[in-house]
Amino acid sequence: MTTSEIEHDVSTGPVPLLLDSLMPDSDVTIVEHLVVAAKPATTFRAAHDLDLLTVRTPLLTSAMWIRGLPTRLGRSPVAAPAELVVGNGVGLPGWGLLGEQPDREIVFGAVGKFWQPDIVWRDVSAVDFTGFTEPGWGKIAANFSVQPYGEHAALLSYECRTLTTDATSRRRFARYWRLIKPFVGVVLRASLRTVGANAEANALRSTPAGERRSAGLSSPTAV
C-alpha cells in the first residue's frame, strides 16, 4: 500500500496524517481551519479540484505582484499558467503531488530556494521528497485535510510546513519568514474560504430542497 492509496474508515478513530510521515519535522508550521456546510467527501473534492488562481483577495493580489517584481524586472515576462490545480500537483516548476488519502487528505509540496528575490525551484520526485537533504535548499509540504464535523458538515484544515536542509539556509529562511508570515496566513484563509464556498455550492446543487432545509444548508458565503 502506498501513501497515495491509504484506505480509511472514519468510524475507527483518528487517521494519521500523510503530512506527518512526509515531513515529520519542520522549521515553521502554520495551519488554519474552517467549518464547511458540506459533507466530508464533497469538501475534499472541492479541495482536490481547487484552482489556486481562483483564490483572490486584494492583499493576496498585491502581494503576489510585489513578490514577482524582481523576476519581471530582470528578465522577459513569463506567460501566466492557465490553472494551478491542487490535485494536479499545482503545476508549477518544482511543485508536485506528494500523496493522497481518498476523501481525507491531499498533500502537495516543493523544493526550492524560495527566500531569494528570484526563486529557484528543484524538481524532486514524491518518492525522494522526504529523504532529500542536499544542502542549500528548503522544502515546503502543504495539505488539505477533512474530517466530519457533526452530521452534515466538515472541518477543513490547510497546513503548511517548511524545512531547510542546512544552517545557512535556515538563517536566510528565518529572515524571510518574519516578513511573509502574515501574508501566508492570508493565503491559507482565503484558500479555505474558496474551497468552502465551492463545496457548499456543490452540496446545494446535489441536495433536494427539503433535505437541504433539514440539514441546515444555506447559500454559501461569498469569498
Side-chain angles (χ1 to χ4, degrees):
M1 181 179 294
T2 67
T3 57
S4 61
E5 297 175 338
I6 292 179
E7 298 294 335
H8 72 283
D9 180 353
V10 296
S11 66
T12 62
V15 179
L17 289 173
L18 288 180
L19 186 62
D20 287 337
S21 61
L22 291 164
M23 188 178 285
D25 300 308
S26 62
D27 297 330
V28 298
T29 297
I30 186 169
V31 60
E32 298 282 350
H33 310 277
L34 181 71
V35 174
V36 180
K39 292 185 177 180
T42 302
T43 303
F44 176 82
R45 177 50 54 186
H48 182 281
D49 294 344
L50 175 67
D51 179 357
L52 294 171
L53 292 181
T54 66
V55 179
R56 298 290 185 186
T57 70
L59 177 59
L60 175 57
T61 301
S62 299
M64 292 297 289
W65 188 89
I66 293 170
R67 187 68 182 84
L69 187 59
T71 300
R72 289 193 295 272
L73 293 177
R75 62 179 62 171
S76 300
V78 178
E83 60 181 15
L84 299 175
V85 177
V86 169
N88 294 339
V90 179
L92 288 173
W95 286 82
L97 186 64
L98 299 179
E100 182 177 338
Q101 297 187 71
D103 294 341
R104 161 67 179 168
E105 180 187 11
I106 184 167
V107 187
F108 52 103
V111 174
K113 300 180 180 183
F114 33 80
W115 51 84
Q116 299 181 169
D118 193 359
I119 299 175
V120 177
W121 297 106
R122 172 77 174 268
D123 288 325
V124 175
S125 70
V127 173
D128 296 329
F129 181 86
T130 300
F132 179 84
T133 58
E134 183 180 319
W137 297 91
K139 302 193 291 185
I140 301 171
N143 78 339
F144 284 104
S145 62
V146 181
Q147 56 184 304
Y149 190 84
E151 187 177 356
H152 301 291
L155 179 64
L156 173 66
S157 301
Y158 188 4
E159 182 171 353
C160 183
R161 302 180 184 179
T162 303
L163 179 67
T164 48
T165 56
D166 64 278
T168 299
S169 299
R170 193 166 300 116
R171 287 192 298 271
R172 292 171 177 169
F173 173 71
R175 291 193 295 268
Y176 173 63
W177 179 249
R178 284 194 292 269
L179 295 174
I180 70 160
K181 182 179 179 179
F183 161 69
V184 174
V186 169
V187 173
L188 266 62
R189 291 188 293 273
S191 299
L192 288 175
R193 290 195 299 270
T194 301
V195 172
N198 292 343
E200 291 173 4
N202 291 339
L204 284 169
R205 282 193 290 268
S206 62
T207 305
E211 293 181 21
R212 190 184 309 164
R213 286 191 294 272
S214 65
L217 295 176
S218 58
S219 298
T221 303
V223 176

